[in-house]
Amino acid sequence: MSRTVYVNGEYLPEEEATVSIFDRGFLMADGVYEVTSVLGGKLIDFPGHAARLERSLNELEMAVPMSTEELLEVHRELVARNGIDEGLVYLQITRGNPGDRDFAFPPADTKPTVVLFTQSKPGLAANPVAQVGIKVISIPDIRWGRRDIKTVQLLYPSMAKMAAKKAHVDDAWFVEDGFVTEGTSNNVYIVKGGKIVTRDLSNDILHGITRAAVVRFAREAQMEVEERPFTIEEAQGADEAFFTSASAFVLPVVEIDGKAVGTGTPGPVAARLRELYLEESLKAAV
């Protein structure tokens, strides 16, 4: 059965959904996005995603086309119409269709393009990968300097994912000036002597919604968290490593550039944080 998607105020079968060839998201990657997880038919961390969306739009001087309440209504409607129990809701907003291609921003009254769709992901919470961990490689970070804005400029992360696939591993970590910035679509962490280390917030990394929640839950559980850069060598010598994202929650990393991290198996800190995140986030789900 066809999915129902949302395009500019209309709920449509996915086969009937279209966007103009002049849309600046298509021509210029002039757009932002958010991905919200769904567990038990409810949205996880929705307020955080909505707040980051508004920040991204403001940073790019784009109009905010809908209120948080209206966005929540659309998310819930799509989840209901598509019968999503576990999965994702993808939202993309672009600067719209100015009628022709031009590098200059279109007139301020150009209507933004708003698109949402769902993806069903049964077993999202009980992901077996959490029990075995993933392997990563490191690659140079050559992305633009505003990684804190969640734009649709995802070509290099996509290329990095393919580089990992060609190396027969699961993901890649970006390295800039000798220090790890983040994963291709996630924030990254190491654990040494019981201390959790993750890069501090700046324009260099995405301000992850899951990151914020996990750091908060860790501190509430009396775990020590240090926010600073770390190197690949430090990560390889850590007791544990893991990453966080909206679609994966908390997943352990057991190998970096061919070298096992710790025992080469998922460690207790990552396991406990995944458990905490799922428990607490489900309580607050909308």
Side-chain angles (χ1 to χ4, degrees), residues 172-230:
W173 281 10
F174 294 126
V175 178
E176 183 176 55
D177 299 328
F179 294 100
V180 177
T181 49
E182 55 193 345
T184 57
S185 57
N186 44 68
N187 294 120
V188 299
Y189 312 71
I190 59 173
V191 181
K192 187 68 175 179
K195 180 189 295 184
I196 301 165
V197 180
T198 189
R199 192 172 179 118
D200 49 316
L201 296 178
S202 68
N203 291 350
D204 296 330
I205 68 169
L206 184 68
H207 299 190
I209 303 306
T210 308
R211 176 196 184 280
V214 166
V215 167
R216 183 175 76 254
F217 296 149
R219 286 174 170 154
E220 289 173 354
Q222 306 304 309
M223 298 180 183
E224 185 178 358
V225 180
E226 182 178 3
E227 297 181 73
R228 64 166 175 82
F230 59 83

Side-chain angles (χ1 to χ4, degrees), residues 40-91:
K42 292 186 176 182
L43 299 160
I44 302 297
D45 276 336
F46 179 80
H49 288 289
R52 185 173 61 184
L53 174 69
E54 184 170 348
R55 178 185 183 275
S56 294
L57 291 169
N58 289 335
E59 290 295 309
L60 295 179
E61 300 179 17
M62 289 175 60
V64 179
M66 303 170 70
S67 69
T68 298
E69 293 73 21
E70 289 169 329
L71 279 175
L72 177 57
E73 182 181 347
V74 174
H75 277 71
R76 284 174 165 167
E77 184 66 21
L78 284 178
V79 168
R81 291 194 184 204
N82 292 300
I84 304 298
D85 181 58
E86 291 192 344
L88 309 170
V89 181
Y90 179 92
L91 159 67

Side-chain angles (χ1 to χ4, degrees), residues 64-141:
V64 179
M66 303 170 70
S67 69
T68 298
E69 293 73 21
E70 289 169 329
L71 279 175
L72 177 57
E73 182 181 347
V74 174
H75 277 71
R76 284 174 165 167
E77 184 66 21
L78 284 178
V79 168
R81 291 194 184 204
N82 292 300
I84 304 298
D85 181 58
E86 291 192 344
L88 309 170
V89 181
Y90 179 92
L91 159 67
Q92 180 168 309
I93 299 176
T94 79
R95 208 178 299 271
N97 164 27
D100 209 339
R101 183 180 184 274
D102 195 331
F103 275 88
F105 287 175
D109 61 354
T110 302
K111 187 176 180 181
T113 297
V114 182
V115 171
L116 291 93
F117 59 82
T118 60
Q119 293 178 301
S120 179
K121 301 281 186 179
L124 192 65
N127 187 348
V129 176
Q131 305 303 316
V132 296
I134 69 165
K135 301 176 181 180
V136 303
I137 57 171
S138 62
I139 65 170
D141 196 340

Side-chain angles (χ1 to χ4, degrees), residues 134-141 160 163-176 178-180 182 184 190 230-237 241 253-262 264:
I134 69 165
K135 301 176 181 180
V136 303
I137 57 171
S138 62
I139 65 170
D141 196 340
K165 186 175 181 179
K166 290 175 183 176
H168 305 292
V169 297
D170 306 288
D171 201 8
W173 281 10
F174 294 126
V175 178
E176 183 176 55
F179 294 100
V180 177
E182 55 193 345
T184 57
I190 59 173
F230 59 83
T231 66
I232 285 293
E233 292 73 23
E234 187 177 3
Q236 289 174 323
V253 174
V254 298
E255 181 185 292
I256 302 172
D257 284 339
K259 184 174 181 179
V261 178

